[in-house]
Amino acid sequence: MSAPERIPPRSMTPADLLSEGELTVRGRIREASNAALYCTVAHDGQEAACVYKPVAGERPLWDFPDGTLAAREVAAHLVSEATGWGLVPPTVLRDGPYGEGMVQLWIEAVPDAELLALVEEDEPGPGWKAIGLAEVGEGRTALLVHADDARLRRLAVLDAVINNADRKGGHLLPAAGGRLYGIDHGVTFNVENKLRTLLWGWAGEALTEEAVTVLGGLQEQLTEGAALAERLAGLITPAELDATRARVDALLTAKVHPEPGGEWPAIPWPPV
């Protein structure tokens, strides 16, 4: 009698692994403002590092409903995937050792990537965009600049769509293979304009043709009954989903990068 044929384990996508794998807490990321745990997730011989942010560890905010930040992180990933730019690491909502939470693939940042800088000059040099003046101590200021980088420009468009209130320098992760990821999207999708970012270098400039095309596709995917709209409806409120549609419509009408509105501080604090 021959031995039964062994069926090899299926190759899982990162999202499948994050959703189905056994989640093991390895430590805490102490610099995070909300509870963030460094974990591994394993299933059928496959393993990956990840971040787990339980809803129970979210600090209450006056301008966001309690217990909604994890879902907003997942919503940001879905919108990123819909653009085709892949700017947010795979992110899922699932149960874990401390209850339901957001689980996101860990991205190992490449060191020494030059995305932000402080310069003594009044104007940014070639390849750089001005953000604004920053205090550097002893009454001195310097010009804060970011790279004139196509990856950052795409991220600036994504942030405008999801209304990101906290795009800090530490939330930019350059990765192997020339990839760039943005992380920490808990304070997004608010109905009010709360865009706070370090990526103001293109403010008022025309959107790229690529961005206009991507936004047109996103507009279609956000129509009522479309798959993306249905998935987002389970993560954010109906008013927030309508506001997201309105932001995409406004970007397509103006065809320029948004400028600071003035209602809120334009740059998050601390900026890095």
Side-chain angles (χ1 to χ4, degrees):
M1 184 176 178
S2 60
E5 182 181 356
R6 183 179 182 276
I7 300 175
R10 67 183 175 95
S11 179
M12 306 181 79
T13 67
D16 289 339
L17 182 58
L18 294 173
S19 297
E20 302 175 27
E22 181 180 357
L23 195 61
T24 303
V25 176
R26 303 297 184 184
R28 182 171 183 177
I29 303 170
R30 296 195 176 276
E31 60 267 26
S33 56
N34 295 293
L37 305 172
Y38 178 76
C39 301
T40 54
V41 62
H43 183 83
D44 232 355
Q46 298 180 64
E47 183 173 291
C50 60
V51 177
Y52 164 47
K53 297 181 182 178
V55 172
E58 295 178 5
R59 294 191 306 172
L61 299 172
W62 69 269
D63 50 351
F64 285 83
D66 292 351
T68 66
L69 305 191
R72 294 172 192 277
E73 295 230 37
V74 177
H77 167 66
L78 293 178
V79 174
S80 167
E81 289 301 286
T83 66
W85 286 334
L87 294 168
V88 179
T91 312
V92 303
L93 195 65
R94 59 162 288 178
D95 196 31
Y98 299 102
E100 185 179 60
M102 180 281 289
V103 178
Q104 185 175 83
L105 188 69
W106 177 268
I107 300 299
E108 199 64 49
V110 175
D112 302 324
E114 294 187 355
L115 298 177
L116 299 167
L118 284 167
V119 297
E120 299 293 336
E121 292 78 13
D122 295 331
E123 297 292 333
W128 295 91
K129 289 284 189 178
I131 303 168
L133 292 175
E135 294 184 9
V136 292
E138 300 179 354
R140 296 170 51 245
T141 61
L143 185 64
L144 182 62
V145 297
H146 66 67
D148 188 2
D149 186 305
R151 302 168 302 170
L152 289 179
R153 193 165 190 174
R154 290 170 177 168
L155 194 57
V157 174
L158 176 66
D159 283 343
V161 170
I162 65 177
N163 197 16
N164 190 356
D166 197 30
R167 175 61 71 205
K168 297 176 180 175
H171 298 168
L172 304 172
L173 297 183
R179 295 291 301 271
L180 177 74
Y181 293 97
I183 60 169
D184 285 344
H185 298 102
V187 285
T188 50
F189 295 100
N190 202 296
V191 171
E192 298 182 35
N193 178 21
K194 291 184 178 289
L195 184 59
R196 284 188 301 229
T197 176
L198 285 179
L199 304 180
W200 287 117
W202 298 281
E205 293 188 16
L207 294 170
T208 64
E209 292 184 12
E210 177 198 41
V212 172
T213 299
V214 165
L215 288 167
L218 191 56
Q219 187 180 54
E220 293 182 9
Q221 295 180 74
L222 288 169
T223 57
E224 189 171 352
L228 176 63
E230 293 293 316
R231 295 188 70 182
L232 290 177
L235 298 166
I236 59 178
T237 69
E240 289 166 344
L241 182 52
D242 284 341
T244 303
R245 294 182 177 115
R247 288 191 294 272
V248 173
D249 293 346
L251 286 166
L252 282 170
T253 298
K255 291 186 170 57
V256 297
H257 287 269
E259 299 183 81
E263 301 91 351
W264 302 94
I267 296 175
W269 187 262
V272 178

